[in-house]
Short mmCIF file of all heavy atoms in Angstrom, two decimals:
data_model
loop_
_atom_site.label_atom_id
_atom_site.label_comp_id
_atom_site.label_asym_id
_atom_site.label_seq_id
_atom_site.Cartn_x
_atom_site.Cartn_y
_atom_site.Cartn_z
N ASN A 554 0.78 -1.24 0.00
CA ASN A 554 -0.05 -0.03 -0.05
C ASN A 554 0.84 1.29 0.07
O ASN A 554 0.47 2.20 -0.68
CB ASN A 554 -0.98 -0.06 1.21
CG ASN A 554 -2.07 -1.06 1.04
OD1 ASN A 554 -2.49 -1.18 -0.03
ND2 ASN A 554 -2.61 -1.62 2.08
N LEU A 555 2.03 1.21 0.65
CA LEU A 555 2.91 2.29 0.70
C LEU A 555 3.47 2.56 -0.74
O LEU A 555 3.54 3.64 -1.20
CB LEU A 555 4.06 2.17 1.60
CG LEU A 555 5.15 3.27 1.73
CD1 LEU A 555 4.62 4.56 1.95
CD2 LEU A 555 6.17 2.87 2.68
N MET A 556 3.85 1.49 -1.39
CA MET A 556 4.49 1.60 -2.80
C MET A 556 3.32 2.05 -3.62
O MET A 556 3.59 2.87 -4.48
CB MET A 556 4.93 0.30 -3.26
CG MET A 556 6.34 -0.06 -2.53
SD MET A 556 7.49 1.23 -2.78
CE MET A 556 7.79 1.30 -4.58
N GLU A 557 2.07 1.68 -3.59
CA GLU A 557 0.96 2.16 -4.37
C GLU A 557 0.86 3.73 -4.30
O GLU A 557 0.68 4.42 -5.19
CB GLU A 557 -0.35 1.51 -4.04
CG GLU A 557 -0.62 0.12 -4.60
CD GLU A 557 -2.02 -0.30 -4.37
OE1 GLU A 557 -2.91 0.53 -4.06
OE2 GLU A 557 -2.23 -1.50 -4.46
N LEU A 558 0.96 4.18 -2.99
CA LEU A 558 0.89 5.60 -2.65
C LEU A 558 1.94 6.43 -3.49
O LEU A 558 1.71 7.35 -4.10
CB LEU A 558 0.86 5.84 -1.19
CG LEU A 558 1.02 7.25 -0.77
CD1 LEU A 558 -0.36 8.02 -1.18
CD2 LEU A 558 1.17 7.29 0.81
N LEU A 559 3.17 5.90 -3.26
CA LEU A 559 4.41 6.61 -3.85
C LEU A 559 4.35 6.61 -5.29
O LEU A 559 4.61 7.54 -5.94
CB LEU A 559 5.73 5.97 -3.33
CG LEU A 559 5.86 5.89 -1.74
CD1 LEU A 559 7.15 5.12 -1.37
CD2 LEU A 559 5.84 7.27 -1.17
N ILE A 560 3.97 5.39 -5.95
CA ILE A 560 3.99 5.38 -7.36
C ILE A 560 2.88 6.14 -7.98
O ILE A 560 3.05 6.78 -9.05
CB ILE A 560 3.88 3.80 -7.77
CG1 ILE A 560 5.18 2.98 -7.41
CG2 ILE A 560 3.79 3.77 -9.40
CD1 ILE A 560 5.18 1.55 -7.46
N CYS A 561 1.76 6.12 -7.33
CA CYS A 561 0.60 6.95 -7.94
C CYS A 561 0.99 8.41 -7.90
O CYS A 561 0.67 9.17 -8.85
CB CYS A 561 -0.58 6.70 -7.18
SG CYS A 561 -1.46 5.14 -7.57
N MET A 562 1.62 8.94 -6.90
CA MET A 562 2.09 10.27 -6.74
C MET A 562 3.01 10.59 -7.71
O MET A 562 3.09 11.66 -8.29
CB MET A 562 2.48 10.61 -5.29
CG MET A 562 1.17 10.63 -4.35
SD MET A 562 1.59 11.44 -2.80
CE MET A 562 2.83 10.38 -2.18
N ASP A 563 4.00 9.70 -7.98
CA ASP A 563 5.00 9.93 -8.97
C ASP A 563 4.28 9.99 -10.32
O ASP A 563 4.75 10.91 -11.15
CB ASP A 563 6.01 8.82 -9.01
CG ASP A 563 7.08 8.99 -10.05
OD1 ASP A 563 8.05 9.88 -9.76
OD2 ASP A 563 7.17 8.33 -11.05
N ALA A 564 3.45 9.20 -10.61
CA ALA A 564 2.60 9.34 -11.85
C ALA A 564 1.91 10.63 -11.99
O ALA A 564 1.86 11.23 -13.08
CB ALA A 564 1.67 8.19 -12.01
N LEU A 565 1.35 11.15 -10.92
CA LEU A 565 0.65 12.36 -10.90
C LEU A 565 1.55 13.56 -11.15
O LEU A 565 1.22 14.58 -11.85
CB LEU A 565 -0.16 12.60 -9.51
CG LEU A 565 -1.31 11.71 -9.30
CD1 LEU A 565 -1.69 11.87 -7.96
CD2 LEU A 565 -2.49 12.13 -10.31
N THR A 566 2.79 13.37 -10.49
CA THR A 566 3.83 14.58 -10.75
C THR A 566 4.25 14.59 -12.25
O THR A 566 4.33 15.72 -12.81
CB THR A 566 5.08 14.24 -9.91
OG1 THR A 566 4.68 14.12 -8.53
CG2 THR A 566 6.10 15.26 -10.13
N ARG A 567 4.38 13.37 -12.86
CA ARG A 567 4.83 13.40 -14.24
C ARG A 567 3.68 13.55 -15.21
O ARG A 567 3.85 13.94 -16.34
CB ARG A 567 5.44 11.96 -14.51
CG ARG A 567 6.71 11.80 -13.74
CD ARG A 567 7.19 10.33 -13.96
NE ARG A 567 8.25 10.06 -12.99
CZ ARG A 567 9.50 10.53 -13.01
NH1 ARG A 567 9.92 11.23 -14.02
NH2 ARG A 567 10.44 10.24 -12.09
N ALA A 568 2.43 13.63 -14.65
CA ALA A 568 1.34 14.03 -15.39
C ALA A 568 0.91 15.60 -15.27
O ALA A 568 -0.11 15.98 -15.64
CB ALA A 568 -0.01 13.29 -14.95
N SER A 569 1.82 16.31 -14.57
CA SER A 569 1.69 17.72 -14.47
C SER A 569 0.62 18.14 -13.55
O SER A 569 -0.02 19.18 -13.84
CB SER A 569 1.71 18.54 -15.82
OG SER A 569 2.89 18.00 -16.61
N ALA A 570 0.26 17.42 -12.52
CA ALA A 570 -0.77 17.90 -11.50
C ALA A 570 -0.36 19.11 -10.93
O ALA A 570 0.89 19.24 -10.50
CB ALA A 570 -1.06 16.75 -10.55
N ARG A 571 -1.24 20.10 -10.62
CA ARG A 571 -0.69 21.37 -10.15
C ARG A 571 -0.37 21.16 -8.66
O ARG A 571 0.56 21.77 -8.14
CB ARG A 571 -1.90 22.32 -10.21
CG ARG A 571 -1.63 23.72 -9.52
CD ARG A 571 -2.79 24.67 -9.82
NE ARG A 571 -4.00 24.28 -9.48
CZ ARG A 571 -4.49 24.38 -8.20
NH1 ARG A 571 -3.74 24.97 -7.20
NH2 ARG A 571 -5.73 23.97 -7.95
N ARG A 572 -1.23 20.42 -7.89
CA ARG A 572 -0.85 20.21 -6.40
C ARG A 572 -1.39 18.82 -6.08
O ARG A 572 -2.48 18.34 -6.52
CB ARG A 572 -1.64 21.19 -5.49
CG ARG A 572 -1.43 21.03 -4.15
CD ARG A 572 -2.08 22.13 -3.21
NE ARG A 572 -3.45 22.11 -3.27
CZ ARG A 572 -4.13 23.03 -2.54
NH1 ARG A 572 -3.65 23.91 -1.67
NH2 ARG A 572 -5.53 22.94 -2.57
N ILE A 573 -0.59 18.12 -5.30
CA ILE A 573 -0.87 16.64 -4.91
C ILE A 573 -0.98 16.70 -3.43
O ILE A 573 0.01 17.04 -2.68
CB ILE A 573 0.10 15.66 -5.40
CG1 ILE A 573 0.36 15.76 -6.92
CG2 ILE A 573 -0.30 14.29 -4.94
CD1 ILE A 573 1.52 15.05 -7.49
N THR A 574 -2.13 16.09 -2.86
CA THR A 574 -2.23 16.01 -1.40
C THR A 574 -2.42 14.60 -1.20
O THR A 574 -3.36 13.94 -1.61
CB THR A 574 -3.57 16.88 -0.78
OG1 THR A 574 -3.40 18.20 -1.12
CG2 THR A 574 -3.73 16.67 0.59
N ALA A 575 -1.53 14.10 -0.29
CA ALA A 575 -1.55 12.68 0.07
C ALA A 575 -2.53 12.55 1.31
O ALA A 575 -2.24 13.18 2.38
CB ALA A 575 -0.19 12.24 0.48
N VAL A 576 -3.68 11.99 1.03
CA VAL A 576 -4.65 11.71 2.17
C VAL A 576 -4.44 10.33 2.63
O VAL A 576 -4.74 9.47 2.05
CB VAL A 576 -6.15 11.99 1.65
CG1 VAL A 576 -7.05 11.78 2.60
CG2 VAL A 576 -6.26 13.33 0.97
N ILE A 577 -3.87 10.39 3.96
CA ILE A 577 -3.48 9.08 4.47
C ILE A 577 -4.23 8.89 5.84
O ILE A 577 -3.82 9.23 6.87
CB ILE A 577 -1.91 9.08 4.76
CG1 ILE A 577 -1.17 9.48 3.51
CG2 ILE A 577 -1.39 7.64 5.07
CD1 ILE A 577 0.20 9.74 3.75
N PRO A 578 -5.38 8.19 5.78
CA PRO A 578 -6.22 8.10 7.00
C PRO A 578 -5.48 7.27 8.11
O PRO A 578 -5.52 7.58 9.23
CB PRO A 578 -7.45 7.34 6.49
CG PRO A 578 -7.50 7.65 5.04
CD PRO A 578 -6.08 7.73 4.48
N TYR A 579 -4.70 6.23 7.71
CA TYR A 579 -3.84 5.65 8.64
C TYR A 579 -2.47 5.71 8.19
O TYR A 579 -2.09 5.06 7.08
CB TYR A 579 -4.22 4.17 8.82
CG TYR A 579 -3.29 3.35 9.60
CD1 TYR A 579 -3.02 3.66 10.99
CD2 TYR A 579 -2.49 2.26 9.06
CE1 TYR A 579 -2.11 2.86 11.72
CE2 TYR A 579 -1.65 1.62 9.76
CZ TYR A 579 -1.41 1.90 11.07
OH TYR A 579 -0.50 1.08 11.85
N PHE A 580 -1.48 6.38 8.91
CA PHE A 580 -0.09 6.52 8.52
C PHE A 580 0.75 5.31 9.21
O PHE A 580 0.87 5.32 10.42
CB PHE A 580 0.37 7.93 9.04
CG PHE A 580 1.79 8.18 8.69
CD1 PHE A 580 2.18 8.61 7.41
CD2 PHE A 580 2.79 8.11 9.62
CE1 PHE A 580 3.53 8.83 7.11
CE2 PHE A 580 4.13 8.43 9.32
CZ PHE A 580 4.48 8.72 7.97
N GLY A 581 1.03 4.41 8.44
CA GLY A 581 1.86 3.21 8.90
C GLY A 581 3.33 3.62 9.21
O GLY A 581 3.76 4.71 8.92
N TYR A 582 3.99 2.78 9.83
CA TYR A 582 5.36 2.77 10.32
C TYR A 582 5.54 4.03 11.28
O TYR A 582 6.64 4.49 11.56
CB TYR A 582 6.32 3.09 9.01
CG TYR A 582 6.60 1.90 8.26
CD1 TYR A 582 6.10 1.70 7.01
CD2 TYR A 582 7.43 0.89 8.76
CE1 TYR A 582 6.29 0.53 6.28
CE2 TYR A 582 7.71 -0.24 8.07
CZ TYR A 582 7.14 -0.36 6.76
OH TYR A 582 7.46 -1.64 6.05
N ALA A 583 4.45 4.53 11.88
CA ALA A 583 4.54 5.64 12.76
C ALA A 583 4.95 5.28 14.19
O ALA A 583 5.42 6.09 14.94
CB ALA A 583 3.14 6.33 12.87
N ARG A 584 4.86 3.90 14.49
CA ARG A 584 5.23 3.56 15.87
C ARG A 584 6.77 3.53 15.99
O ARG A 584 7.23 3.57 17.18
CB ARG A 584 4.69 2.13 16.15
CG ARG A 584 3.18 2.17 16.50
CD ARG A 584 2.64 0.78 16.55
NE ARG A 584 2.50 0.14 15.19
CZ ARG A 584 1.87 -1.01 15.08
NH1 ARG A 584 1.41 -1.74 16.11
NH2 ARG A 584 1.64 -1.57 13.81
N GLN A 585 7.56 3.62 14.97
CA GLN A 585 9.05 3.79 15.13
C GLN A 585 9.36 5.24 14.82
O GLN A 585 9.70 5.58 13.78
CB GLN A 585 9.74 2.84 14.20
CG GLN A 585 9.48 1.32 14.36
CD GLN A 585 10.21 0.54 13.29
OE1 GLN A 585 11.34 0.24 13.30
NE2 GLN A 585 9.31 -0.04 12.38
N ASP A 586 9.02 6.05 15.80
CA ASP A 586 9.10 7.46 15.66
C ASP A 586 10.40 8.08 16.40
O ASP A 586 10.49 9.26 16.53
CB ASP A 586 7.87 8.23 16.20
CG ASP A 586 7.62 8.03 17.64
OD1 ASP A 586 8.23 7.10 18.17
OD2 ASP A 586 6.74 8.63 18.20
N ARG A 587 11.16 7.26 16.97
CA ARG A 587 12.55 7.59 17.65
C ARG A 587 13.33 6.40 17.81
O ARG A 587 12.95 5.20 17.63
CB ARG A 587 12.14 8.10 19.15
CG ARG A 587 11.53 7.17 20.03
CD ARG A 587 10.97 7.90 21.19
NE ARG A 587 10.44 6.91 22.19
CZ ARG A 587 9.28 6.29 22.00
NH1 ARG A 587 8.53 6.50 20.98
NH2 ARG A 587 8.86 5.36 23.00
N LYS A 588 14.58 6.56 18.07
CA LYS A 588 15.46 5.41 18.30
C LYS A 588 15.20 4.84 19.72
O LYS A 588 15.41 5.64 20.74
CB LYS A 588 17.05 5.93 18.16
CG LYS A 588 17.44 6.09 16.74
CD LYS A 588 18.87 6.46 16.58
CE LYS A 588 19.84 5.45 17.03
NZ LYS A 588 19.73 4.24 16.18
N VAL A 589 14.86 3.63 19.78
CA VAL A 589 14.58 3.03 21.09
C VAL A 589 15.77 2.20 21.54
O VAL A 589 15.70 1.58 22.54
CB VAL A 589 13.38 2.08 20.92
CG1 VAL A 589 12.15 2.90 20.62
CG2 VAL A 589 13.36 0.94 19.91
N GLY A 590 16.85 2.12 20.79
CA GLY A 590 18.00 1.25 20.94
C GLY A 590 19.04 1.57 20.07
O GLY A 590 18.76 2.32 18.95
N GLY A 591 20.22 0.98 20.15
CA GLY A 591 21.32 0.98 19.11
C GLY A 591 20.85 0.44 17.85
O GLY A 591 20.29 -0.66 17.94
N ARG A 592 21.34 1.07 16.79
CA ARG A 592 21.21 0.39 15.40
C ARG A 592 19.73 0.01 15.06
O ARG A 592 19.46 -0.93 14.46
CB ARG A 592 22.06 -0.87 15.24
CG ARG A 592 23.49 -0.64 15.53
CD ARG A 592 24.33 -1.93 15.65
NE ARG A 592 23.99 -2.52 16.90
CZ ARG A 592 24.32 -2.32 18.12
NH1 ARG A 592 25.07 -1.25 18.37
NH2 ARG A 592 23.85 -3.01 19.20
N THR A 593 18.76 1.07 15.40
CA THR A 593 17.34 0.97 15.06
C THR A 593 16.97 2.11 14.31
O THR A 593 17.55 3.21 14.43
CB THR A 593 16.53 0.85 16.26
OG1 THR A 593 16.65 1.99 17.15
CG2 THR A 593 16.72 -0.50 17.14
N PRO A 594 16.00 1.95 13.38
CA PRO A 594 15.62 3.07 12.37
C PRO A 594 14.62 4.00 12.96
O PRO A 594 14.01 3.70 14.03
CB PRO A 594 15.09 2.32 11.22
CG PRO A 594 14.46 1.08 11.87
CD PRO A 594 15.32 0.74 13.08
N ILE A 595 14.35 5.02 12.33
CA ILE A 595 13.24 5.91 12.61
C ILE A 595 12.45 5.89 11.37
O ILE A 595 12.51 6.81 10.54
CB ILE A 595 13.60 7.41 13.00
CG1 ILE A 595 14.62 7.34 14.22
CG2 ILE A 595 12.50 8.27 13.39
CD1 ILE A 595 15.20 8.71 14.54
N THR A 596 11.52 4.85 11.20
CA THR A 596 10.77 4.66 9.98
C THR A 596 9.78 5.79 9.68
O THR A 596 9.45 6.07 8.57
CB THR A 596 10.08 3.32 10.06
OG1 THR A 596 9.27 3.21 11.15
CG2 THR A 596 11.09 2.22 10.11
#
């Protein structure tokens, strides 16, 4: 679903849309919002 979102917006950009608003009712990967330990990401 994330890749669908990104690829669709890339298609819209290349189709010369004036403004693109990403409407994301549920924003995934949000629970990793800080480093909780060594060698961990902030997704």
Side-chain angles (χ1 to χ4, degrees):
N554 288 331
L555 176 59
M556 286 305 299
E557 278 189 18
L558 172 66
L559 300 178
I560 294 171
C561 284
M562 289 194 298
D563 184 73
L565 291 167
T566 299
R567 298 177 191 280
S569 301
R571 176 173 59 85
R572 180 173 67 175
I573 303 167
T574 300
V576 181
I577 311 173
Y579 171 65
F580 181 78
Y582 284 107
R584 283 173 283 184
Q585 298 176 74
D586 59 350
R587 64 194 185 281
K588 284 180 70 70
V589 296
R592 299 168 298 283
T593 58
I595 303 178
T596 56

